[in-house]
Amino acid sequence: MATTVRELILILQIYFPPELSLYKALQILGLLIALYPIHRLHLNQQRQPHQPRHTAWLTGISAILLATFRRDDSHAPTWASGTDRSEEFTAHISEDLIGFYSLLGLNPRDLEAPSPRSFFPPARPVLCTSRTSCVFCPPADLNIVPTLRRREKFQTVWLLDNSFNWVQAGLLVAHCASCRADYFPDRITYKDETNRRRQKLEVDCQYIRVSKQGTWVHRRIALFQENALNRFHAGWSNFADWLNASTQSKRQLTYRQSQRLFIEHFSRRLLVFTGKADSFTCAAHPSTRLLVQAVREVVGVNGGSFETAMDHGCTECTHVKRYRDDLVDEGFVSGAGHGVVGLGAGNVGDVSDHRHSSPALNKSNGRYLELLAGMFKCALDVCEGPLVNYKDGRFCQAHLNMTNICGIIPCGRAVRSPGSLTCDIQSHVDWHREYENRFSRLSFAGVQRVLRRQQENDGEGNPELQVELPVLGNTPGNEVVHTFRAKNTYCLQTVQWACGYPIGWGKCYRSESLPQVLQILENIWADYPDSKPGFIAYDNACSLLRHIVTQDPNSHWLASTKLIVDAWHYITHRATDLLCHAHGNSHSTRAFNTETAEQLNSWLSGFEPQLRQMSDVNYDFFIHVVMMLYGERVNARIAKKNLELSDEFWAAAGRD
């Protein structure tokens, strides 16, 4: 006979006292069901002769029950009467477990029967907004904000739940009858002043829609995807492959859905991280490309800075000023009285107004680091525009008409046939054929072999891949200018505090020129003029200082920040360079780690294969994401080691 509600009522009356809280009663009921296999082990042991009445199995069950009765779960008090009867009812239940399981329709003495997997059938998830009233409409009659109504009938959708199982779920969309706003579980759509449909993202949503066909994913899956990116540098396609192989389900998460999950999740994370979540809006129900583009326009295009970095401080990147007089007892020979150690008087603001810190400016001009920053751009050297087609395109939108022009610069003739890259001049056709033959044979193993042989023959220096091309007329092959393939940006510049916390980043397109480096610094601190650092460590700081003085002798950088060469690169600078020796010496910042840029590069290099294949929009979005993750890693390390700025630090800074 099937067990009915009558037996459940009888169980509650026999084994659970009336004053026990409902939460604790349901918790104990679920625990007893989970302990059923343990009770079977107890009964099986008792089948042997000379076994105690209370085996270790039963003693363990009693201990678990008692601990659960007494555990404080931050809910209502376990006993409404105030009297703790945990031991009494633990003994009462433990003595009659056979009767308890029998009322549930089980036969615990039938040890051959398999244990049931679950007594509780899985509940069908229901996806709905967490809001109860409209966020756009003002209070109406009786000072009540317009309530939400059901917009459509109950819909059935597929959900990848928090246990990595594909289940069918119910979807309900709420609707405001006053302003016509629709409330989905992960977004709110509404009409703006121009009667166009817009949307706001729900940053704390539990479920995320990843396809327009009705596929949803629990937010916990996105956290797994984030950890896979953070710890293993796994992209969205690798994550989809891992998830599908792990679940072995017929229904699978596609690459597009995994990418959509990545974009939706990190859009919310970035908007919260940059403080733009409340003000962000975009077109309603955008495609993945349009959503990334909208978020990128808010957090930064071709670079950006992080507001949280401007208020960052820890003992690794922020020190109290030290004066020469303070070091007399330590053996320092004072000559100037009250100057800051390593600085002329007045070069750094007071500590009470700003920290004395040393961020490091990343230099990315080596072969290894050029690969890191290899984002495709227009094939013309002078153009910085993004490609129209990142699969096999060569030009940006402005130069798309050059597709039908010979790729040899400055020929200017039309291509000999649609799809060709050169005109009908035979020398151009032959040169392009040789070019294709040279580069089509390149492989990773082949490049390694060539570099290894060059190093064995030369015996010194860094080997370089040299591909010989034929002469075109009087022009050497390696000097021929062409547009046969898209070009790459030169490098990615990053700026971070001495502890490693990222401040901002930017792109250098054709070279790491000093005007571009200065412009990146200007862009990063444009909105935070009072947060400029006391020091900036850069491997070519002396030349950057010359450039600043040449362009503007009254530059604000000269009054606020000292440019120094980081310790690693300073030893390679010329001893006869008086400017470098006088102003670029990093001796005054020995207490700071000026090599954090190299450490960040080492971490970023793991993302190089993914970055090289991205469009300019995805590239910027992805860099913002990894910078945010790296900053959170630094903050976690600082908190773990108790490196935050203490009250004693600020007291000492105030005394100065």
Side-chain angles (χ1 to χ4, degrees):
M1 179 182 295
T3 304
T4 63
V5 176
R6 184 184 299 105
E7 282 74 20
L8 177 60
I9 295 174
L10 189 58
I11 287 175
L12 294 175
Q13 291 176 339
I14 295 176
Y15 298 99
F16 297 91
E19 63 269 26
L20 184 66
S21 69
L22 178 61
Y23 175 83
K24 186 62 67 175
L26 295 176
Q27 187 180 44
I28 296 294
L29 181 62
L31 175 64
L32 288 171
I33 295 173
L35 290 174
Y36 180 68
I38 310 300
H39 184 251
R40 283 159 57 92
L41 289 171
H42 159 71
L43 295 178
N44 189 52
Q45 180 178 341
Q46 282 194 325
R47 293 170 57 192
Q48 292 185 340
H50 310 296
Q51 295 298 317
R53 181 167 176 267
H54 292 275
T55 65
W57 297 113
L58 187 59
T59 303
I61 291 175
S62 300
I64 295 173
L65 277 174
L66 182 61
T68 305
F69 265 117
R70 291 179 171 175
R71 187 170 62 203
D72 183 10
D73 299 296
S74 301
H75 284 268
T78 301
W79 303 98
S81 62
T83 303
D84 187 359
R85 304 177 63 185
S86 301
E87 293 187 4
E88 173 187 351
F89 279 92
T90 296
H92 174 61
I93 295 174
S94 300
E95 290 293 335
D96 195 21
L97 285 175
I98 293 180
F100 174 85
Y101 292 124
S102 298
L103 286 174
L104 289 177
L106 300 174
N107 184 8
R109 296 192 180 279
D110 185 6
L111 301 178
E112 301 298 328
S115 299
R117 291 187 177 183
S118 175
F119 281 87
F120 300 104
R124 186 177 190 179
V126 176
L127 282 55
C128 185
T129 179
S130 60
R131 301 185 183 273
T132 56
S133 301
C134 183
V135 298
F136 302 107
C137 296
D141 297 338
L142 302 178
N143 201 30
I144 298 177
V145 178
T147 58
L148 300 181
R149 318 295 172 83
R150 193 187 73 180
R151 192 193 73 173
E152 296 178 351
K153 295 182 179 180
F154 189 83
Q155 304 177 41
T156 299
V157 296
W158 280 102
L159 169 69
L160 182 61
D161 65 12
N162 58 355
S163 300
F164 292 85
N165 294 319
W166 285 102
V167 298
Q168 286 190 319
L171 172 64
L172 288 171
V173 180
H175 176 73
C176 176
S178 299
C179 67
R180 304 298 180 184
D182 292 330
Y183 290 76
F184 295 84
D186 60 341
R187 60 177 57 84
I188 305 173
T189 64
Y190 64 98
K191 289 185 177 181
D192 61 8
E193 296 80 2
T194 61
N195 208 31
R196 294 183 178 180
R197 206 73 183 171
R198 306 282 295 176
Q199 80 171 22
K200 293 178 67 69
L201 297 179
E202 295 278 28
V203 295
D204 295 325
C205 62
Q206 190 175 7
Y207 304 100
I208 294 177
R209 191 183 68 176
V210 296
S211 77
K212 293 184 177 180
Q213 287 70 36
T215 303
W216 293 72
V217 176
H218 194 280
R219 190 71 177 269
R220 184 168 179 260
I221 308 300
L223 295 179
F224 275 85
Q225 188 182 45
E226 176 180 325
N227 289 330
L229 174 71
N230 196 0
R231 299 298 178 182
F232 308 112
H233 295 185
W236 51 69
S237 58
N238 290 334
F239 177 77
D241 290 337
W242 169 82
L243 188 145
N244 293 330
S246 300
T247 58
Q248 294 293 318
S249 174
K250 292 183 178 179
R251 189 172 187 85
Q252 296 191 336
L253 186 71
T254 65
Y255 290 164
R256 286 181 177 271
Q257 292 171 352
S258 182
Q259 181 187 12
R260 182 73 185 203
L261 177 65
F262 181 96
I263 298 302
E264 290 276 359
H265 171 67
F266 278 112
S267 293
R268 291 165 171 80
R269 294 271 279 112
L270 279 176
L271 292 171
V272 172
F273 185 75
T274 56
K276 307 292 180 57
D278 294 335
S279 59
F280 174 79
T281 65
C282 64
H285 308 296
S287 64
T288 302
R289 180 180 60 85
L290 293 179
L291 177 59
V292 174
Q293 186 173 340
V295 175
R296 176 204 186 211
E297 291 175 355
V298 171
V299 300
V301 177
N302 294 328
S305 59
F306 301 106
E307 184 177 359
T308 55
M310 304 304 168
D311 298 326
H312 173 79
C314 67
T315 57
E316 288 187 347
C317 68
T318 308
H319 292 184
V320 177
K321 288 182 181 178
R322 303 188 72 187
Y323 297 91
R324 287 183 173 88
D325 288 349
D326 298 335
L327 302 182
V328 172
D329 295 338
E330 301 178 22
F332 179 79
V333 179
S334 177
H338 296 283
V340 180
V341 175
L343 275 176
N347 282 356
V348 179
D350 189 79
V351 172
S352 60
D353 296 327
H354 182 66
R355 58 181 59 89
H356 169 190
S357 51
S358 172
L361 178 60
N362 182 13
K363 181 175 186 292
S364 308
N365 62 348
R367 292 188 304 275
Y368 179 70
L369 297 180
E370 284 178 8
L371 294 177
L372 169 65
M375 186 196 78
F376 290 120
K377 71 174 190 68
C378 183
L380 293 177
D381 288 334
V382 296
C383 181
E384 299 176 358
L387 298 179
V388 175
N389 176 12
Y390 276 86
K391 183 178 181 180
D392 52 11
R394 296 181 292 146
F395 297 105
C396 63
Q397 186 67 46
H399 298 109
L400 198 59
N401 60 323
M402 295 191 65
T403 305
N404 300 320
I405 299 176
C406 179
I408 301 293
I409 303 296
C411 175
R413 293 166 56 89
V415 295
R416 65 182 188 274
S417 62
S420 300
L421 300 184
T422 62
C423 60
D424 55 0
I425 298 177
Q426 191 59 41
S427 60
H428 291 185
V429 176
D430 295 340
W431 196 92
H432 175 252
R433 184 183 300 111
E434 290 294 328
Y435 175 88
E436 290 291 332
N437 291 337
R438 293 292 188 273
F439 284 98
S440 62
R441 293 199 303 265
L442 285 179
S443 65
F444 182 72
V447 170
Q448 281 188 319
R449 182 171 59 254
V450 172
L451 295 178
R452 185 170 58 251
R453 289 178 179 175
Q454 287 183 5
Q455 193 172 27
E456 291 173 354
N457 295 333
D458 298 340
E460 60 181 11
N462 293 326
E464 296 183 0
L465 179 63
Q466 300 175 356
V467 179
E468 297 182 359
L469 291 171
V471 177
L472 180 61
N474 296 324
T475 306
N478 60 342
E479 296 181 9
V480 174
V481 180
H482 61 84
T483 60
F484 293 151
R485 62 170 56 184
K487 297 295 191 300
N488 293 81
T489 55
Y490 183 76
C491 68
L492 173 74
Q493 292 280 5
T494 63
V495 184
Q496 56 274 331
W497 296 113
C499 61
Y501 192 91
I503 303 173
W505 63 279
K507 299 173 185 175
C508 291
Y509 285 88
R510 291 175 296 279
S511 66
E512 191 184 350
S513 63
L514 297 176
Q516 289 185 96
V517 173
L518 179 59
Q519 188 59 50
I520 290 173
L521 293 177
E522 294 283 4
N523 293 340
I524 289 176
W525 274 281
D527 297 330
Y528 314 99
D530 297 330
S531 298
K532 288 192 290 293
F535 295 97
I536 288 183
Y538 178 42
D539 55 6
N540 199 17
C542 43
S543 297
L544 181 59
L545 179 59
R546 286 191 187 93
H547 174 73
I548 294 175
V549 173
T550 302
Q551 297 298 316
D552 183 8
N554 299 318
S555 172
H556 56 86
W557 289 105
L558 302 178
S560 64
T561 305
K562 181 176 181 180
L563 299 174
I564 62 173
V565 180
D566 65 281
W568 173 259
H569 291 91
Y570 182 73
I571 59 177
T572 64
H573 285 228
R574 293 179 298 175
T576 57
D577 191 337
L578 298 180
L579 179 65
C580 180
H581 180 70
H583 297 279
N585 195 336
S586 60
H587 176 78
S588 59
T589 58
R590 289 180 301 171
F592 296 104
N593 177 14
T594 60
E595 302 304 321
T596 55
E598 307 302 332
Q599 295 164 2
L600 176 57
N601 271 335
S602 176
W603 186 75
L604 285 176
S605 63
F607 299 104
E608 181 269 332
Q610 302 173 53
L611 290 170
R612 286 186 63 86
Q613 306 300 323
M614 289 185 180
S615 66
D616 62 318
V617 177
N618 287 342
Y619 183 95
D620 291 356
F621 183 89
F622 195 85
I623 291 296
H624 280 294
V625 167
V626 296
M627 288 293 186
M628 176 188 67
L629 294 178
Y630 191 80
E632 292 175 345
R633 289 165 67 103
V634 173
N635 273 343
R637 173 176 58 82
I638 291 172
K640 183 177 180 180
K641 295 183 177 181
N642 297 320
L643 300 178
E644 299 94 340
L645 299 182
S646 61
D647 294 338
E648 291 78 8
F649 171 88
W650 291 113
R655 288 195 297 270
D656 291 339

